[in-house]
Amino acid sequence: MSAYWPDVILTLNIVMLVFYIYGSNVLNVYGYCASDIIVHNYWINELGNNNIFVEGIYPFGFHNVIYYLHAVFSIPTFVLLRVFCVVQTLMIHLMLLFFLRAVCKSRYVPYAGVFLYIMADFIGVNAYSRYYASLPQEFGMLFILPAAYFVVAFLRERGIGRQARFNLNLALFAISVSMTLSVHFYDAIIAALFCVGIAVGFCFRCFRWRYLRRIVLAGMSGILLAVLPMGAAYMM
């Protein structure tokens, strides 16, 4: 257990640094911190009135999360939108850490990378200004890196004896794609660009039919998982 203490201490330092930078703003500034949150508040309020597409067609993954917290725990929506940015920003940084830990061979380089990413906010105060607000596009960033990781994990696997792991990686890739698209179109575009870069890096394997057909099928399944519920809601 003692071998993991450096990781625990470094992770706690990341958590405290994120809380210091972004949490203090929630205490000091009583407001949304972004003008477009007002329309998102309106969308979420109208979900309770069964008026889903009140301001046009929009992915409702983020709105559903906030509405659920509001409906189940009776927390006012405007309160959730004021403080949820700290939660999602912390999870974004932890997701970056987990991704780097999964793809880097060095034990401590991922921590250094996350610390540098956080410290950029001190260098330029507007570097990550959108992290100070509870915005769907930033919430959707949570699912971009998992989509990239699971498709890489699938392409790294060798041998037909690992069929179960093949299928698990593809299923998690499809779910990540679905969750990305369910939250924001822009996040889905970024995930697609990641996949293009991965396809270039694994070109000798990615364009072999046994790999390509599975990746395309998983990607299409992820898109359908996101689009079909929204399409059904629109038709109804």
Side-chain angles (χ1 to χ4, degrees):
M1 181 63 184
S2 60
Y4 295 101
W5 274 114
D7 299 278
V8 173
I9 294 172
L10 289 170
T11 302
L12 288 176
N13 283 328
I14 289 174
V15 172
M16 289 187 293
L17 188 56
V18 170
F19 277 145
Y20 171 72
I21 295 176
Y22 300 101
S24 58
N25 185 73
V26 170
L27 296 175
N28 297 327
V29 180
Y30 192 86
Y32 287 143
C33 298
S35 60
D36 49 347
I37 294 185
I38 297 172
V39 71
H40 291 298
N41 198 152
Y42 178 45
W43 263 317
I44 295 166
N45 287 340
E46 286 300 309
L47 289 178
N49 299 324
N50 200 30
N51 192 4
I52 300 177
F53 297 105
V54 64
E55 283 289 340
I57 301 175
Y58 192 91
F60 277 87
F62 174 80
H63 299 147
N64 289 338
V65 170
I66 301 298
Y67 177 73
Y68 175 86
L69 294 173
H70 159 70
V72 173
F73 300 104
S74 300
I75 304 173
T77 300
F78 77 92
V79 174
L80 290 169
L81 290 175
R82 198 177 73 82
V83 302
F84 192 74
C85 55
V86 182
V87 178
Q88 71 179 39
T89 300
L90 174 62
M91 296 308 297
I92 289 168
H93 286 79
L94 291 179
M95 185 61 73
L96 175 61
L97 175 63
F98 297 152
F99 175 78
L100 292 175
R101 284 294 305 271
V103 299
C104 292
K105 295 182 179 180
S106 172
R107 180 177 180 179
Y108 297 110
V109 166
Y111 296 102
V114 176
F115 275 116
L116 289 173
Y117 184 75
I118 297 174
M119 297 303 288
D121 192 72
F122 286 111
I123 299 173
V125 293
N126 293 320
Y128 304 129
S129 60
R130 290 177 61 92
Y131 282 161
Y132 289 98
S134 303
L135 294 167
Q137 186 176 343
E138 277 59 43
F139 178 73
M141 291 173 63
L142 278 170
F143 314 111
I144 296 174
L145 291 178
Y149 170 74
F150 288 120
V151 72
V152 168
F154 167 73
L155 291 170
R156 281 179 171 175
E157 290 293 343
R158 297 173 180 270
I160 58 174
R162 298 174 180 175
Q163 189 67 38
R165 192 179 300 175
F166 270 148
N167 294 336
L168 178 61
N169 286 329
L170 285 176
L172 293 174
F173 167 67
I175 292 172
S176 299
V177 169
S178 172
M179 296 176 76
T180 301
L181 184 56
S182 296
V183 177
H184 205 285
F185 300 118
Y186 291 168
D187 295 309
I189 294 173
I190 297 171
L193 292 175
F194 264 102
C195 292
V196 171
I198 293 167
V200 173
F202 286 88
C203 59
F204 293 107
R205 180 170 298 181
C206 182
F207 294 107
R208 292 169 59 184
W209 179 241
R210 60 172 296 198
Y211 288 95
L212 180 62
R213 64 183 176 86
R214 295 181 181 182
I215 294 173
V216 172
L217 181 60
M220 294 300 296
S221 299
I223 293 173
L224 288 175
L225 282 172
V227 172
L228 286 180
M230 190 166 65
Y234 178 74
M235 295 298 294
M236 296 171 65

